[in-house]
Structure formats: structure tokens, C-alpha cells
Short mmCIF file of all heavy atoms in Angstrom, two decimals:
data_model
loop_
_atom_site.label_atom_id
_atom_site.label_comp_id
_atom_site.label_asym_id
_atom_site.label_seq_id
_atom_site.Cartn_x
_atom_site.Cartn_y
_atom_site.Cartn_z
N SER Z 233 63.05 -1.77 13.05
CA SER Z 233 63.08 -3.06 12.35
C SER Z 233 61.81 -3.19 11.52
O SER Z 233 60.70 -2.99 12.03
CB SER Z 233 63.14 -4.22 13.37
OG SER Z 233 64.32 -4.13 14.14
N ILE Z 234 61.99 -3.54 10.25
CA ILE Z 234 60.85 -3.72 9.34
C ILE Z 234 61.00 -5.09 8.69
O ILE Z 234 62.01 -5.38 8.04
CB ILE Z 234 60.81 -2.62 8.25
CG1 ILE Z 234 60.72 -1.24 8.91
CG2 ILE Z 234 59.63 -2.85 7.31
CD1 ILE Z 234 60.89 -0.08 7.94
N SER Z 235 60.01 -5.93 8.89
CA SER Z 235 60.04 -7.29 8.34
C SER Z 235 58.65 -7.65 7.84
O SER Z 235 57.73 -6.82 7.83
CB SER Z 235 60.52 -8.28 9.41
OG SER Z 235 59.67 -8.23 10.55
N HIS Z 236 58.49 -8.90 7.42
CA HIS Z 236 57.20 -9.35 6.89
C HIS Z 236 56.80 -10.69 7.50
O HIS Z 236 57.65 -11.54 7.74
CB HIS Z 236 57.27 -9.49 5.37
CG HIS Z 236 57.42 -8.20 4.64
ND1 HIS Z 236 58.64 -7.55 4.53
CD2 HIS Z 236 56.51 -7.41 4.00
CE1 HIS Z 236 58.48 -6.43 3.84
NE2 HIS Z 236 57.19 -6.32 3.51
N PHE Z 237 55.51 -10.82 7.73
CA PHE Z 237 54.98 -12.12 8.09
C PHE Z 237 54.97 -13.01 6.84
O PHE Z 237 55.19 -12.53 5.73
CB PHE Z 237 53.56 -11.98 8.66
CG PHE Z 237 53.51 -11.27 9.99
CD1 PHE Z 237 53.09 -9.95 10.08
CD2 PHE Z 237 53.88 -11.94 11.16
CE1 PHE Z 237 53.04 -9.29 11.29
CE2 PHE Z 237 53.83 -11.29 12.38
CZ PHE Z 237 53.41 -9.97 12.46
N ALA Z 238 54.70 -14.28 7.04
CA ALA Z 238 54.74 -15.23 5.93
C ALA Z 238 53.76 -14.87 4.81
O ALA Z 238 54.01 -15.16 3.64
CB ALA Z 238 54.46 -16.64 6.44
N ASP Z 239 52.65 -14.24 5.17
CA ASP Z 239 51.65 -13.89 4.15
C ASP Z 239 51.90 -12.52 3.52
O ASP Z 239 51.10 -12.05 2.71
CB ASP Z 239 50.25 -13.95 4.75
CG ASP Z 239 50.04 -12.90 5.85
OD1 ASP Z 239 51.03 -12.26 6.24
OD2 ASP Z 239 48.90 -12.73 6.29
N GLY Z 240 52.99 -11.86 3.88
CA GLY Z 240 53.34 -10.58 3.28
C GLY Z 240 52.99 -9.37 4.11
O GLY Z 240 53.35 -8.24 3.75
N GLU Z 241 52.27 -9.55 5.24
CA GLU Z 241 51.94 -8.42 6.10
C GLU Z 241 53.22 -7.78 6.65
O GLU Z 241 54.19 -8.47 6.94
CB GLU Z 241 51.05 -8.86 7.26
CG GLU Z 241 49.66 -9.29 6.83
CD GLU Z 241 48.84 -9.75 8.02
OE1 GLU Z 241 49.31 -9.63 9.17
OE2 GLU Z 241 47.72 -10.25 7.79
N ILE Z 242 53.19 -6.45 6.80
CA ILE Z 242 54.37 -5.71 7.26
C ILE Z 242 54.40 -5.69 8.78
O ILE Z 242 53.40 -5.39 9.43
CB ILE Z 242 54.36 -4.28 6.71
CG1 ILE Z 242 54.37 -4.30 5.18
CG2 ILE Z 242 55.55 -3.48 7.25
CD1 ILE Z 242 54.07 -2.95 4.55
N ALA Z 243 55.56 -6.03 9.34
CA ALA Z 243 55.77 -5.97 10.79
C ALA Z 243 56.80 -4.90 11.10
O ALA Z 243 57.87 -4.86 10.48
CB ALA Z 243 56.24 -7.33 11.30
N VAL Z 244 56.49 -4.04 12.06
CA VAL Z 244 57.37 -2.91 12.41
C VAL Z 244 57.66 -2.92 13.90
O VAL Z 244 56.77 -3.17 14.71
CB VAL Z 244 56.72 -1.57 12.01
CG1 VAL Z 244 57.47 -0.39 12.63
CG2 VAL Z 244 56.66 -1.42 10.50
N LYS Z 245 58.91 -2.64 14.26
CA LYS Z 245 59.30 -2.49 15.67
C LYS Z 245 60.26 -1.31 15.78
O LYS Z 245 61.33 -1.31 15.17
CB LYS Z 245 59.98 -3.77 16.17
CG LYS Z 245 60.51 -3.68 17.61
CD LYS Z 245 59.39 -3.65 18.63
CE LYS Z 245 59.90 -3.90 20.05
NZ LYS Z 245 60.79 -2.84 20.52
N VAL Z 246 59.85 -0.28 16.54
CA VAL Z 246 60.73 0.85 16.80
C VAL Z 246 61.65 0.46 17.94
O VAL Z 246 61.18 0.14 19.04
CB VAL Z 246 59.92 2.11 17.15
CG1 VAL Z 246 60.86 3.28 17.44
CG2 VAL Z 246 58.95 2.46 16.02
N ASN Z 247 62.96 0.48 17.68
CA ASN Z 247 63.93 -0.09 18.62
C ASN Z 247 64.59 0.94 19.55
O ASN Z 247 65.66 0.67 20.09
CB ASN Z 247 65.01 -0.85 17.84
CG ASN Z 247 64.43 -2.05 17.12
OD1 ASN Z 247 63.56 -2.75 17.65
ND2 ASN Z 247 64.90 -2.30 15.90
N GLU Z 248 63.97 2.10 19.72
CA GLU Z 248 64.47 3.08 20.69
C GLU Z 248 63.30 3.96 21.12
O GLU Z 248 62.28 4.05 20.43
CB GLU Z 248 65.59 3.92 20.09
CG GLU Z 248 65.24 4.65 18.80
CD GLU Z 248 66.43 5.37 18.23
OE1 GLU Z 248 66.74 6.46 18.76
OE2 GLU Z 248 67.04 4.87 17.27
N THR Z 249 63.45 4.59 22.25
CA THR Z 249 62.35 5.39 22.78
C THR Z 249 62.10 6.64 21.94
O THR Z 249 63.04 7.29 21.48
CB THR Z 249 62.60 5.80 24.24
OG1 THR Z 249 61.46 6.52 24.73
CG2 THR Z 249 63.84 6.68 24.37
N VAL Z 250 60.83 6.94 21.74
CA VAL Z 250 60.45 8.16 21.04
C VAL Z 250 59.47 8.97 21.90
O VAL Z 250 58.89 9.95 21.43
CB VAL Z 250 59.81 7.85 19.67
CG1 VAL Z 250 60.83 7.23 18.73
CG2 VAL Z 250 58.58 6.96 19.81
N ARG Z 251 59.28 8.56 23.13
CA ARG Z 251 58.32 9.22 24.01
C ARG Z 251 58.66 10.71 24.16
O ARG Z 251 59.76 11.07 24.58
CB ARG Z 251 58.30 8.55 25.38
CG ARG Z 251 57.23 9.11 26.34
CD ARG Z 251 57.23 8.35 27.64
NE ARG Z 251 56.84 6.96 27.45
CZ ARG Z 251 55.59 6.52 27.42
NH1 ARG Z 251 54.58 7.37 27.58
NH2 ARG Z 251 55.33 5.24 27.24
N GLY Z 252 57.71 11.56 23.79
CA GLY Z 252 57.89 13.00 23.91
C GLY Z 252 58.80 13.61 22.86
O GLY Z 252 59.06 14.81 22.90
N ARG Z 253 59.28 12.83 21.91
CA ARG Z 253 60.19 13.35 20.88
C ARG Z 253 59.42 13.85 19.66
O ARG Z 253 58.31 13.40 19.37
CB ARG Z 253 61.14 12.25 20.40
CG ARG Z 253 62.45 12.09 21.12
CD ARG Z 253 62.39 11.87 22.57
NE ARG Z 253 63.67 11.39 23.10
CZ ARG Z 253 63.84 10.92 24.31
NH1 ARG Z 253 62.83 10.86 25.15
NH2 ARG Z 253 65.03 10.49 24.70
N ASP Z 254 60.04 14.78 18.94
CA ASP Z 254 59.55 15.16 17.61
C ASP Z 254 60.23 14.22 16.61
O ASP Z 254 61.46 14.16 16.54
CB ASP Z 254 59.92 16.61 17.29
CG ASP Z 254 59.10 17.60 18.10
OD1 ASP Z 254 58.12 17.16 18.75
OD2 ASP Z 254 59.44 18.80 18.10
N VAL Z 255 59.41 13.51 15.86
CA VAL Z 255 59.92 12.45 15.00
C VAL Z 255 59.68 12.80 13.53
O VAL Z 255 58.60 13.30 13.17
CB VAL Z 255 59.26 11.10 15.33
CG1 VAL Z 255 59.74 10.01 14.39
CG2 VAL Z 255 59.55 10.72 16.78
N PHE Z 256 60.68 12.53 12.70
CA PHE Z 256 60.55 12.70 11.25
C PHE Z 256 60.72 11.34 10.59
O PHE Z 256 61.72 10.65 10.82
CB PHE Z 256 61.60 13.68 10.72
CG PHE Z 256 61.34 15.11 11.12
CD1 PHE Z 256 61.75 15.57 12.37
CD2 PHE Z 256 60.68 15.99 10.27
CE1 PHE Z 256 61.50 16.88 12.76
CE2 PHE Z 256 60.42 17.30 10.67
CZ PHE Z 256 60.84 17.74 11.91
N LEU Z 257 59.76 10.95 9.78
CA LEU Z 257 59.81 9.69 9.05
C LEU Z 257 60.03 9.99 7.57
O LEU Z 257 59.23 10.67 6.94
CB LEU Z 257 58.51 8.91 9.24
CG LEU Z 257 58.32 7.68 8.32
CD1 LEU Z 257 59.41 6.65 8.56
CD2 LEU Z 257 56.93 7.07 8.52
N ILE Z 258 61.13 9.48 7.01
CA ILE Z 258 61.43 9.66 5.58
C ILE Z 258 60.90 8.45 4.82
O ILE Z 258 61.38 7.33 5.02
CB ILE Z 258 62.96 9.78 5.33
CG1 ILE Z 258 63.62 10.70 6.37
CG2 ILE Z 258 63.23 10.23 3.90
CD1 ILE Z 258 63.17 12.12 6.34
N GLN Z 259 59.90 8.66 3.96
CA GLN Z 259 59.32 7.53 3.24
C GLN Z 259 58.55 7.99 2.01
O GLN Z 259 57.35 8.26 2.06
CB GLN Z 259 58.41 6.71 4.16
CG GLN Z 259 57.72 5.53 3.52
CD GLN Z 259 58.62 4.32 3.29
OE1 GLN Z 259 59.83 4.43 3.35
NE2 GLN Z 259 58.03 3.18 3.02
N PRO Z 260 59.21 8.09 0.85
CA PRO Z 260 58.47 8.36 -0.38
C PRO Z 260 57.67 7.13 -0.80
O PRO Z 260 58.04 6.00 -0.46
CB PRO Z 260 59.58 8.65 -1.40
CG PRO Z 260 60.78 7.95 -0.87
CD PRO Z 260 60.66 7.97 0.63
N THR Z 261 56.58 7.34 -1.52
CA THR Z 261 55.76 6.20 -1.95
C THR Z 261 56.20 5.74 -3.34
O THR Z 261 55.42 5.73 -4.29
CB THR Z 261 54.27 6.58 -1.98
OG1 THR Z 261 54.10 7.74 -2.79
CG2 THR Z 261 53.75 6.85 -0.59
N SER Z 262 57.46 5.35 -3.44
CA SER Z 262 57.99 4.86 -4.72
C SER Z 262 57.73 3.36 -4.85
O SER Z 262 57.25 2.71 -3.93
CB SER Z 262 59.48 5.17 -4.82
OG SER Z 262 60.15 4.82 -3.62
N ASN Z 263 58.03 2.83 -6.01
CA ASN Z 263 57.78 1.43 -6.33
C ASN Z 263 58.47 0.47 -5.34
O ASN Z 263 59.65 0.66 -5.06
CB ASN Z 263 58.27 1.14 -7.76
CG ASN Z 263 57.86 -0.22 -8.25
OD1 ASN Z 263 56.77 -0.68 -7.99
ND2 ASN Z 263 58.77 -0.86 -8.96
N PRO Z 264 57.72 -0.48 -4.77
CA PRO Z 264 56.29 -0.77 -4.94
C PRO Z 264 55.43 0.21 -4.15
O PRO Z 264 55.56 0.31 -2.93
CB PRO Z 264 56.15 -2.20 -4.39
CG PRO Z 264 57.27 -2.32 -3.39
CD PRO Z 264 58.40 -1.46 -3.89
N VAL Z 265 54.57 0.94 -4.86
CA VAL Z 265 53.84 2.06 -4.28
C VAL Z 265 52.98 1.64 -3.09
O VAL Z 265 53.03 2.26 -2.02
CB VAL Z 265 52.96 2.75 -5.35
CG1 VAL Z 265 52.19 3.91 -4.74
CG2 VAL Z 265 53.81 3.22 -6.51
N ASN Z 266 52.20 0.61 -3.27
CA ASN Z 266 51.28 0.21 -2.20
C ASN Z 266 52.04 -0.27 -0.97
O ASN Z 266 51.65 0.02 0.17
CB ASN Z 266 50.34 -0.89 -2.70
CG ASN Z 266 49.46 -0.41 -3.85
OD1 ASN Z 266 49.15 0.77 -3.94
ND2 ASN Z 266 49.07 -1.32 -4.72
N GLU Z 267 53.13 -0.99 -1.18
CA GLU Z 267 53.96 -1.47 -0.08
C GLU Z 267 54.57 -0.28 0.67
O GLU Z 267 54.56 -0.24 1.91
CB GLU Z 267 55.07 -2.36 -0.64
CG GLU Z 267 56.05 -2.88 0.39
CD GLU Z 267 55.62 -4.20 1.02
OE1 GLU Z 267 54.56 -4.72 0.66
OE2 GLU Z 267 56.36 -4.68 1.89
N SER Z 268 55.09 0.70 -0.07
CA SER Z 268 55.72 1.86 0.55
C SER Z 268 54.71 2.69 1.34
O SER Z 268 55.01 3.16 2.44
CB SER Z 268 56.38 2.74 -0.52
OG SER Z 268 57.42 2.03 -1.18
N LEU Z 269 53.52 2.86 0.77
CA LEU Z 269 52.49 3.63 1.46
C LEU Z 269 52.04 2.92 2.74
O LEU Z 269 51.95 3.54 3.80
CB LEU Z 269 51.29 3.85 0.53
CG LEU Z 269 50.08 4.55 1.14
CD1 LEU Z 269 50.45 5.93 1.67
CD2 LEU Z 269 48.95 4.65 0.12
N MET Z 270 51.78 1.63 2.63
CA MET Z 270 51.32 0.88 3.80
C MET Z 270 52.39 0.85 4.88
O MET Z 270 52.10 0.96 6.08
CB MET Z 270 50.95 -0.56 3.39
CG MET Z 270 50.11 -1.28 4.41
SD MET Z 270 48.48 -0.50 4.57
CE MET Z 270 47.95 -1.18 6.12
N GLU Z 271 53.64 0.75 4.47
CA GLU Z 271 54.75 0.76 5.42
C GLU Z 271 54.80 2.08 6.18
O GLU Z 271 54.98 2.11 7.41
CB GLU Z 271 56.06 0.54 4.66
CG GLU Z 271 57.27 0.27 5.53
CD GLU Z 271 58.50 -0.01 4.68
OE1 GLU Z 271 58.61 -1.12 4.14
OE2 GLU Z 271 59.34 0.90 4.56
N ALA Z 272 54.59 3.20 5.46
CA ALA Z 272 54.58 4.51 6.10
C ALA Z 272 53.46 4.60 7.14
O ALA Z 272 53.67 5.09 8.26
CB ALA Z 272 54.41 5.61 5.05
N LEU Z 273 52.28 4.12 6.78
CA LEU Z 273 51.14 4.19 7.69
C LEU Z 273 51.38 3.36 8.95
O LEU Z 273 51.04 3.79 10.07
CB LEU Z 273 49.88 3.70 6.97
CG LEU Z 273 49.44 4.50 5.74
CD1 LEU Z 273 48.25 3.82 5.07
CD2 LEU Z 273 49.10 5.93 6.11
N ILE Z 274 51.96 2.19 8.78
CA ILE Z 274 52.21 1.31 9.92
C ILE Z 274 53.28 1.90 10.84
O ILE Z 274 53.16 1.84 12.07
CB ILE Z 274 52.60 -0.10 9.45
CG1 ILE Z 274 51.40 -0.76 8.74
CG2 ILE Z 274 53.06 -0.98 10.60
CD1 ILE Z 274 51.72 -2.06 8.05
N ILE Z 275 54.32 2.49 10.25
CA ILE Z 275 55.36 3.12 11.08
C ILE Z 275 54.79 4.31 11.84
O ILE Z 275 55.09 4.50 13.03
CB ILE Z 275 56.56 3.56 10.20
CG1 ILE Z 275 57.24 2.34 9.57
CG2 ILE Z 275 57.58 4.34 11.05
CD1 ILE Z 275 58.30 2.68 8.54
N ILE Z 276 53.96 5.11 11.18
CA ILE Z 276 53.32 6.23 11.86
C ILE Z 276 52.50 5.73 13.05
O ILE Z 276 52.54 6.30 14.15
CB ILE Z 276 52.43 7.03 10.88
CG1 ILE Z 276 53.29 7.78 9.86
CG2 ILE Z 276 51.54 8.03 11.63
CD1 ILE Z 276 52.51 8.38 8.72
N ASP Z 277 51.74 4.66 12.84
CA ASP Z 277 50.93 4.11 13.92
C ASP Z 277 51.81 3.64 15.08
O ASP Z 277 51.49 3.86 16.25
CB ASP Z 277 50.09 2.95 13.39
CG ASP Z 277 49.11 2.43 14.43
OD1 ASP Z 277 48.12 3.11 14.71
OD2 ASP Z 277 49.35 1.34 14.98
N ALA Z 278 52.94 3.00 14.75
CA ALA Z 278 53.86 2.53 15.78
C ALA Z 278 54.42 3.70 16.58
O ALA Z 278 54.51 3.65 17.82
CB ALA Z 278 54.99 1.72 15.15
N LEU Z 279 54.78 4.78 15.89
CA LEU Z 279 55.32 5.97 16.56
C LEU Z 279 54.28 6.64 17.44
O LEU Z 279 54.56 7.09 18.55
CB LEU Z 279 55.86 6.95 15.52
CG LEU Z 279 57.08 6.48 14.71
CD1 LEU Z 279 57.32 7.43 13.54
CD2 LEU Z 279 58.32 6.38 15.58
N LYS Z 280 53.05 6.70 16.93
CA LYS Z 280 51.96 7.31 17.71
C LYS Z 280 51.72 6.52 19.00
O LYS Z 280 51.59 7.12 20.08
CB LYS Z 280 50.69 7.34 16.86
CG LYS Z 280 49.46 7.88 17.58
CD LYS Z 280 48.24 7.88 16.68
CE LYS Z 280 47.79 6.46 16.34
NZ LYS Z 280 46.56 6.46 15.52
#
């Protein structure tokens, strides 16, 4: 689940277990570039 707080901050929730799994995240940094990049970083942090 990917949503936003009222001020635009990105909120991420991984809705299934990834413990011990090899995970692939598909996320090009296309327009909006900064939003896409930040989203990728936050999802990576959530998975870690």
C-alpha cells in the first residue's frame, strides 16, 4: 500500500511477509522524478 499524508509525505505498508525472501522492487525514476525516487527509497527501507 502506497499513500500520502496530508502534507505530501509518502506512506508505505508492505502487506505480506518478506522475512527471509529475495525481493525485487520495480521502480523507474520517471516523472515525477523526485517522487518516484523517494518512493523507491522508502519501499526499500520498509523491506529492509
Side-chain angles (χ1 to χ4, degrees):
S233 299
I234 302 171
S235 58
H236 292 80
F237 293 103
D239 65 351
E241 292 179 6
I242 300 168
V244 168
K245 176 70 166 66
V246 180
N247 295 321
E248 56 184 282
T249 183
V250 294
R251 185 177 296 275
R253 270 56 165 191
D254 288 349
V255 177
F256 289 83
L257 169 62
I258 316 296
Q259 178 76 345
T261 54
S262 46
N263 188 39
V265 179
N266 298 332
E267 177 89 0
S268 297
L269 176 59
M270 197 66 197
E271 191 177 284
L273 298 175
I274 293 171
I275 296 172
I276 290 169
D277 187 73
L279 294 169
K280 177 180 67 177

